[in-house]
Amino acid sequence: MDTKRVINIFIFILVSSPCLTSAGDIVHQDNNAPKRPGCDNNFVLVKVPTWVDGGEDTEYVGVGARFGRTLEAKEKDASQNRLVLADPPDCCSKPKNKLTGEAILVHRGGCSFTAKANFAEEANASAILIINNKTELFKMVCESNETDVDIRIPAIMLPQDAGANLEKLIKNNSVVSVQLYSPRRPVVDVAEVFLWLMAVGTILCASYWSAWTARETAIELDKLLKDGSDEFSNMEGVDSNGFVDINMASAVSFVVIASCFLVMLYKLMSFWFIEVLVVLFCIGGVEGLQTCVVALLSCFRWFQHAGDSFIKVPFFGAVSHLTLAVCPFCIAFSVVWAVYRRISFAWIGQDILGIALMITVLQIVHVPNLKVGTVLLSCAFLYDIFWVFVSKWWFHESVMIVVARGDGSGEDGIPMLLKIPRLFDPWGGYSVIGFGDIILPGLIVAFSLRYDWLMKKNFRSGYFVWAMTAYGLGLLITYVALNLMDGHGQPALLYIVPFTLGTFLTLGKRRGELKTLWTREPERACPHIQLQSS
């Protein structure tokens, strides 16, 4: 297939996809509800397992209030208490119930949250569960003029449907018991380790493939120059290998195009729009997967003849027999993933398609010099920070995080992400990293290896090992920040760009090679240098 044509269609979709690492929030900060003495709890998610007539039943999720006693982190330390209905239901006066340590279920409205909690505590309740009037959760805070906020029982908000189920069971004379606890995330989850290895491995493979292709091209051009062949003059100005060089204009316009695409995702986020993105991702995944598989099989002599023999296919032009043989498998793989993407292990197929596509992009799309790479990463750096943090001022929520999660679509997020389930996290969910966090810095890392090989630098005097190490450290710091922020999504490029670009620029300056790196395109310069020195 004409890889260049297909990749040009998808490149902006990929680099505009959320540049984000995330593990899902369990602690929610809120600057609109500042802390004060007696009202200074974090908004934490709360597990609410239930038992009905002695048998284990449904587990619900609520959110803790800004006030009240904090909850146990371990299930074994949390007590199990019977749940009763408040009388009156809104608990805006002292309950008529004779309570002896039961948890009390009340309706929202009629008075403040702290007033309800104070009345429940006065009635000897062990906890108060407040049913929201909507299906989502609501953060319960203290009113600015309230002074009686020294509440010693936990207060939990439940979504409307969960509260209705529990209320129905109690009214049917069932004995309902609940347990309240808020488990903490592990300091390091194995999902983050594997995501780090996947990101670093993707750039590593793509860089070596890109450098090998560039070196083969340089050797071929060098031979043509030494032979004085007229074929070289015919090759000049022709991108015969299907490479796409990023220029200054496209590097600068990245921010505008990527931002427009992100806002479109944000505004149009729905089930049908996610379906469109899945189709586009599958098309790109087929192209990436078949490109990688064909390149891998071509390394074996059994497949070399099939890879070197071509047949003309309408619309696609000359296609190798090997590509024709591999393509149906890639299409089938992509279709099966799309159909069954909601099952528990579908993330494996998504990651395979995503990695293959990113490797193909990094092999084909080139940064010609450090100047273009610096502009591109600097723009991406600002883009990432703006849409994760600054966008909250205009949209009242982080646009990047909303798009990555696929809020309002009924899906687990957009497909342009690498994701791994958090197997040892009591809250479950996925750790994710956006394609942009791999592709954009990967362009600079791949450039460093192409430069090293074509300038005949070893690992010690070259730049690749330093650039690769800097990327790995930058991504590692990202995950450290992610855990310190209790799972809040982080703009990975905020940490990766200073490490990767800063290392490259500093090393080039110290070696006195920054001017050459800044302007030179090694794919073209190296054959000429070799010829003049012979």
Side-chain angles (χ1 to χ4, degrees), residues 356-386:
L357 183 50
M358 285 189 288
I359 289 176
T360 301
V361 169
L362 288 172
Q363 193 271 333
I364 290 173
V365 180
H366 288 180
V367 168
N369 50 54
L370 191 54
K371 179 181 179 181
V372 173
T374 300
V375 172
L376 178 64
L377 284 188
S378 299
C379 291
F381 176 79
L382 297 174
Y383 159 85
D384 215 12
I385 294 173
F386 180 86

Side-chain angles (χ1 to χ4, degrees), residues 290-440:
Q290 71 89 14
T291 301
C292 292
V293 172
V294 167
L296 183 63
L297 293 179
S298 297
C299 298
F300 301 95
R301 57 185 179 88
W302 305 288
F303 300 100
Q304 285 181 353
H305 177 71
D308 294 335
S309 56
F310 294 84
I311 184 174
K312 278 197 171 184
V313 178
F315 181 74
F316 294 105
V319 179
S320 71
H321 289 94
L322 183 58
T323 300
L324 284 178
V326 168
C327 200
F329 160 77
C330 298
I331 293 173
F333 185 91
S334 185
V335 170
V336 169
W337 171 80
V339 173
Y340 295 101
R341 69 183 186 276
R342 294 180 181 87
I343 62 177
S344 60
F345 53 87
W347 60 271
I348 299 173
Q350 179 173 328
D351 289 350
I352 291 172
L353 292 171
I355 289 172
L357 183 50
M358 285 189 288
I359 289 176
T360 301
V361 169
L362 288 172
Q363 193 271 333
I364 290 173
V365 180
H366 288 180
V367 168
N369 50 54
L370 191 54
K371 179 181 179 181
V372 173
T374 300
V375 172
L376 178 64
L377 284 188
S378 299
C379 291
F381 176 79
L382 297 174
Y383 159 85
D384 215 12
I385 294 173
F386 180 86
W387 290 110
V388 173
F389 294 136
V390 183
S391 62
K392 295 179 182 179
W393 297 348
W394 281 275
F395 298 91
H396 307 295
E397 57 186 350
S398 173
V399 172
M400 187 83 77
I401 293 176
V402 169
V403 169
R405 290 192 308 227
D407 289 3
S409 66
E411 297 275 352
D412 287 332
I414 66 173
M416 288 79 166
L417 300 167
L418 294 185
K419 57 192 291 187
I420 296 182
R422 298 178 62 86
L423 300 176
F424 300 102
D425 190 330
W427 291 102
Y430 291 88
S431 288
V432 302
I433 182 171
F435 284 5
D437 299 327
I438 301 173
I439 291 178
L440 295 172

Side-chain angles (χ1 to χ4, degrees), residues 37-282:
C39 197
D40 54 1
N41 295 342
N42 287 325
F43 295 112
V44 296
L45 293 181
V46 179
K47 285 183 178 286
V48 188
T50 62
W51 288 262
V52 178
D53 295 328
E56 192 170 349
D57 200 63
T58 309
E59 181 178 274
Y60 301 103
V61 175
V63 64
R66 188 66 107 189
F67 52 86
R69 181 168 61 85
T70 57
L71 295 165
E72 298 289 346
K74 296 180 179 179
E75 183 179 10
K76 65 179 182 180
D77 297 331
S79 60
Q80 187 179 134
N81 298 298
R82 184 175 177 179
L83 184 66
V84 298
L85 298 178
D87 183 19
D90 61 5
C91 199
C92 285
S93 59
K94 186 177 179 179
K96 300 174 183 177
N97 312 52
K98 299 291 185 180
L99 301 179
T100 55
E102 293 90 346
I104 190 168
L105 185 67
V106 310
H107 285 271
R108 179 182 175 182
C111 58
S112 68
F113 295 123
T114 52
K116 296 176 187 290
N118 276 312
F119 282 126
E121 183 180 10
E122 186 181 347
N124 202 29
S126 60
I128 180 169
L129 281 68
I130 300 176
I131 305 172
N132 194 16
N133 51 18
K134 297 180 180 179
T135 54
E136 59 267 13
L137 295 171
F138 183 83
K139 297 175 182 178
M140 297 185 291
V141 300
C142 307
E143 299 292 341
S144 58
N145 58 350
E146 289 180 320
T147 56
D148 191 10
V149 293
D150 185 21
I151 299 167
R152 302 182 185 277
I153 62 172
I156 312 299
M157 170 72 74
L158 289 178
Q160 186 180 44
D161 51 352
N165 290 339
L166 293 173
E167 188 175 26
K168 182 178 179 182
L169 288 169
I170 296 172
K171 287 182 176 179
N172 288 337
N173 297 320
S174 296
V175 177
V176 179
S177 299
V178 296
Q179 195 175 27
L180 307 174
Y181 65 103
S182 181
R184 298 184 180 93
R185 289 191 183 279
V187 176
V188 178
D189 192 89
V190 68
E192 294 168 355
V193 176
F194 278 106
L195 266 185
W196 186 90
L197 291 173
M198 287 164 61
V200 171
T202 297
I203 293 179
L204 194 65
C205 293
S207 297
Y208 271 96
W209 188 9
S210 177
W212 180 84
T213 305
R215 185 171 64 177
E216 291 298 305
T217 302
I219 292 172
E220 182 181 345
L221 293 177
D222 198 23
K223 288 180 179 178
L224 292 174
L225 283 168
K226 290 179 178 179
D227 293 341
S229 173
D230 292 335
E231 190 176 345
F232 174 75
S233 60
N234 295 329
M235 292 179 65
E236 289 194 37
V238 178
D239 203 352
S240 58
N241 290 284
F243 298 140
V244 178
D245 280 337
I246 297 177
N247 55 31
M248 287 291 293
S250 58
V252 173
S253 62
F254 162 78
V255 173
V256 177
I257 297 174
S259 296
C260 291
F261 185 77
L262 191 67
V263 171
M264 182 180 71
L265 288 174
Y266 176 73
K267 292 295 186 181
L268 299 179
M269 187 61 66
S270 60
F271 175 78
W272 70 265
F273 196 69
I274 289 289
E275 296 295 312
V276 172
L277 292 180
V278 167
V279 172
L280 294 176
F281 175 72
C282 287

Side-chain angles (χ1 to χ4, degrees), residues 443-509:
L443 291 171
I444 284 288
V445 177
F447 164 77
S448 70
L449 187 58
R450 289 198 307 273
Y451 186 90
D452 288 352
W453 280 19
L454 294 169
M455 297 306 238
K456 298 192 178 298
K457 290 180 175 289
N458 57 34
F459 279 127
R460 186 172 183 179
S461 63
Y463 293 89
F464 173 70
V465 173
W466 292 94
M468 193 73 248
T469 303
Y471 174 79
L473 287 174
L475 187 57
L476 181 63
I477 295 300
T478 303
Y479 284 117
V480 171
L482 184 69
N483 284 288
L484 290 176
M485 296 295 290
D486 296 301
H488 287 274
Q490 293 292 301
L493 295 181
L494 172 64
Y495 310 96
I496 293 173
V497 170
F499 270 86
T500 307
L501 196 57
T503 299
F504 214 148
L505 292 171
T506 302
L507 198 60
K509 181 69 174 177

